Amino acid sequence: AGKEDEPFYFSINEKEYMEQNPKNYFLYRLHEFKFNPNRTKCFILSANNFLDKAEFNPTNFEVSIIK
């Protein structure tokens, strides 16, 4: 929704799928649509290009309660 370089959420499932299917995976990154829907911008990255340019920072944890 924000600027092109603004962080966004990407699940572990999405990342695993992308890594297992790199030839069939493309990221379509829409940005700036929040500010003006008529001027939405987009760029497309292949899986390999995305992995080369992305910095992944874990933000969620799987938690189990031990009884």
Side-chain angles (χ1 to χ4, degrees), residues 13-25:
N13 291 339
E14 291 171 299
K15 187 171 184 289
E16 286 176 358
Y17 181 85
M18 176 186 58
E19 291 170 340
Q20 293 169 3
N21 302 283
K23 291 182 181 178
N24 299 317
Y25 192 93

Side-chain angles (χ1 to χ4, degrees), residues 26-63:
F26 294 87
L27 175 78
Y28 289 73
R29 175 76 164 124
L30 300 175
H31 57 95
E32 299 189 31
F33 60 85
K34 182 177 179 181
F35 305 114
N36 186 342
N38 297 324
R39 296 189 184 258
T40 298
K41 296 181 181 178
C42 174
F43 63 86
I44 303 167
L45 294 173
S46 68
N48 290 331
N49 199 2
F50 180 47
L51 287 170
D52 287 343
K53 294 179 181 250
E55 180 179 299
F56 293 90
N57 296 311
T59 59
N60 293 309
F61 297 92
E62 181 177 326
V63 179

